[in-house]
Amino acid sequence: MTQPLPWNDLQDFLAVARAGQIARAAALIGVDATTIGRRLRRLEARLGRTLFEQTREGQVLTEAGEALLAQVEEMQNAAERIVETRGPAEALSGLLRVSVSEGFGTWLIAEHLHEFAAQHPALTVDLAASSGFLSPSRREADVAVLLARPRHGPVVAGKLSDYALHLYAARAMIEHLGAVTRESLGDRHPMVGYIPDLLYSPELRFVDDLGPLPAPTLRSSSINAQARLIATGAGIGVLPHFIGGGMPDLVRVLPEVTIHRTFWLVTHRDTRQLRRVRSFSAWLGGLVTKHHARLDPPR
């Protein structure tokens, strides 16, 4: 009689297939990388097949691995649907992982996430708010709010909201150094901005939107760090209105400069109908509608 394959081994295989690296998969699911490696070797031995090829970038699925992935994803989806049907119909449980940009996650979602959590106390919510995104297509996140609409992959994307960005300066800086003009930027008023080669999205390049302005001399990969630099009077920089417009020590300068971008709500097509995914997506849609003026004030 053939013994069933251990579910933990299959889940670890799924995590590595989605993450592309054993170390990254270990960090995502909270299992030691050595344990994952051992389980993968055991799984390959049981199946008599090589599931991954080792490359410089990490683990790449073989043809046998691709075939197994399709089967394991079906099993995982079925398991998630079973979990969602336990208990009262209105109760959500399990894990929901949400990937958002650092600024949007910190300045809007984190302020109100307790409201969603209070409605679903049995649900664990991971808010991955960072300079970079987890991939819904590789099932690293259940929901992602991206700066560009994905062109490929097994995902469903919809427009969440437009948002506006402006140039901001510290009120104390202007009082000390005088009014900001295009001529004063880079001279009397230093510029703050992103580190060009560390940008995680092309939508964060503002050169074409700003016109002939001097390059930033104070740079950070973090929008929150940029906001703090601007607030302390270190320089002038671009901030989303939902950040700069809510900081009382900042004032908008060069009002003719306005940049517009879009947030996209992205889910995996196989899991978008899970109740926890649908519930969070609906809640987030309501949140941005309620706070639309913070995101995209009247033009």
Side-chain angles (χ1 to χ4, degrees):
M1 179 177 178
T2 303
Q3 292 185 345
L5 297 173
W7 180 232
N8 284 341
D9 294 7
L10 293 173
Q11 286 184 308
D12 287 354
F13 162 79
L14 182 60
V16 175
R18 290 171 175 171
Q21 293 179 344
I22 289 180
R24 189 173 185 185
L28 287 171
I29 65 177
V31 176
D32 182 74
T34 303
T35 300
I36 291 181
R38 183 177 66 253
R39 289 175 177 172
L40 286 180
R41 290 190 296 272
R42 181 171 63 189
L43 182 61
E44 289 180 325
R46 291 282 299 276
L47 294 173
R49 303 170 187 171
T50 300
L51 301 175
F52 293 100
E53 292 181 1
Q54 179 68 47
T55 70
R56 282 187 174 184
E57 289 74 29
Q59 279 65 42
V60 177
L61 285 166
T62 63
E63 185 175 346
E66 292 280 2
L68 180 62
L69 176 62
Q71 296 175 302
V72 176
E73 284 191 323
E74 289 182 9
M75 296 169 62
Q76 180 70 19
N77 292 340
E80 290 175 344
R81 288 192 292 270
I82 291 172
V83 169
E84 289 208 333
T85 58
R86 293 186 312 183
E90 69 277 5
L92 296 182
S93 60
L95 172 65
L96 179 76
R97 178 162 288 168
V98 182
S99 177
V100 295
S101 62
E102 180 189 28
F104 185 58
T106 302
W107 293 85
L108 192 63
I109 295 183
E111 289 183 10
H112 301 278
L113 190 57
H114 66 280
E115 301 165 5
F116 179 78
Q119 297 171 17
H120 308 287
L123 182 66
T124 298
V125 181
D126 288 351
L127 180 64
S130 59
S131 298
F133 297 103
L134 302 179
S135 171
S137 65
R138 295 199 299 266
R139 298 285 300 275
E140 295 172 347
D142 300 297
V143 180
V145 179
L146 306 181
L147 303 183
R149 185 170 194 163
R151 297 180 181 273
H152 308 287
V155 296
V156 177
K159 183 177 179 179
L160 181 62
S161 176
D162 292 326
Y163 68 102
L165 305 98
H166 309 296
L167 281 167
Y168 289 93
R171 194 182 308 275
M173 182 186 194
I174 294 176
E175 293 173 353
H176 178 61
L177 299 177
V180 177
T181 65
R182 284 187 173 268
E183 291 72 25
S184 72
L185 291 177
D187 180 17
R188 196 166 71 247
H189 300 106
M191 293 288 291
V192 173
Y194 281 103
I195 303 171
D197 57 339
L198 294 183
L199 286 177
Y200 60 89
S201 174
E203 283 68 31
L204 298 177
R205 296 187 187 278
F206 304 133
V207 176
D208 294 339
D209 304 272
L210 295 175
L213 293 181
T217 54
L218 292 169
R219 309 188 301 191
S220 175
S221 60
S222 164
I223 191 63
N224 288 337
Q226 290 180 45
R228 293 303 304 156
L229 285 167
I230 296 168
T232 59
I236 293 170
V238 176
L239 293 174
H241 180 76
F242 61 81
I243 296 179
M247 299 179 70
D249 294 334
L250 297 187
V251 294
R252 183 180 168 188
V253 298
L254 300 186
E256 72 276 10
V257 176
T258 299
I259 301 170
H260 290 103
R261 294 290 187 266
T262 301
F263 285 130
W264 296 89
L265 182 67
V266 183
T267 56
H268 195 284
R269 67 187 180 198
D270 290 341
T271 57
R272 62 188 296 261
Q273 293 302 326
L274 291 175
R275 286 199 304 121
R276 61 179 181 272
V277 174
R278 288 190 287 111
S279 295
F280 182 83
S281 299
W283 174 82
L284 184 58
L287 181 70
V288 299
T289 298
K290 181 178 179 180
H291 296 277
H292 182 71
R294 285 184 61 187
L295 289 159
D296 193 19
R299 306 179 186 182

